[in-house]
Amino acid sequence: QQQVKQSPQSLIVQKGGISIINCAYENTAFDYFPWYQQFPGKGPALLIAIRPDVSEKKEGRFTISFNKSAKQFSLHIMDSQPGDSATYFCAASMRAAGNKLTFGGGTRVLVKP
Amino acid sequence: GAGVSQSPRYKVAKRGQDVALRCDPISGHVSLFWYQQALGQGPEFLTYFQNEAQLDKSGLPSDRFFAERPEGSVSTLKIQRTQQEDSAVYLCASSLGLAGGQETQYFGPGTRLLVL
């Protein structure tokens, strides 16, 4: 059972454009929703995270929008740069389950200069 | 400071061989997680330790997979009688482990296992 579904699988954006990645979850017990960035040959690194009592969180060029009723959340990357080219994973976890992360399938982002 | 380290970075095994993958978490981190990442997929949870106690091993795919953390720091993931479907990147992550908290998990670079 895929508990976190992520789309699109890949996207290409011009430098300066906006990248938007969407995720949907099924388990309403999830209480923490992080986004991770992964470069080839590296482990995932936390980018930004949100809790379900907040509808939006912004850190620099990265914004999470969260819709609890729709069980959806999204990552917006503003002013995309070539250095943002990476694979992005949404994830979800719950304290009651030891905070183990359930990941989406990933989105490969390519920012063209 | 030092992050999570894993060794070896690459491992090639013949089908049927046993392998052992090592994880050195960030010093002082109580919680340690193992994940398996197949090519082009998101990581999938394998098992979780709090100090030396293995609190959740629900993600281990078979009884050929075994993990330990005997002194509450370094952890080893062992795979017995490796099969081709075990080929993947094995990621280790650690976090502070504050009671009731939701904390950042810091990932190591992973061990890429190829079973021939």
Side-chain angles (χ1 to χ4, degrees), chain B residues 3 16 18 21 36 40-41 46 50 64 69 77 81-83 88 93 100 104 107:
Chain B
D18 297 348
L21 312 179
Q36 179 190 60
Q41 305 290 320
L46 294 177
Q50 190 164 340
R64 296 185 295 104
R69 194 186 185 198
L77 177 66
R81 305 180 304 281
T82 53
Q83 304 294 315
T104 302
F107 283 81

Side-chain angles (χ1 to χ4, degrees), chain B residues 55-104:
Chain B
L55 299 185
D56 186 343
K57 53 182 181 179
S58 62
L60 296 176
S62 77
D63 57 8
R64 296 185 295 104
F65 287 70
F66 172 76
E68 60 183 5
R69 194 186 185 198
E71 297 179 357
S73 56
V74 171
S75 177
T76 303
L77 177 66
K78 297 179 180 178
I79 309 173
Q80 297 177 322
R81 305 180 304 281
T82 53
Q83 304 294 315
Q84 286 186 324
E85 61 263 29
D86 300 335
S87 296
V89 175
Y90 290 85
L91 295 164
C92 176
S94 70
S95 66
L96 279 169
L98 295 173
Q102 284 161 328
E103 311 147 322
T104 302

Side-chain angles (χ1 to χ4, degrees), chain A residues 31 38 51 95 99-101, chain B residues 35 37 56 100-102 105:
Chain A
D31 53 20
Q38 186 175 31
R51 288 176 171 72
R95 279 172 288 190
N99 296 318
K100 62 185 178 185
L101 293 166
Chain B
Y35 296 87
Q37 185 174 24
D56 186 343
Q102 284 161 328
Q105 290 186 26

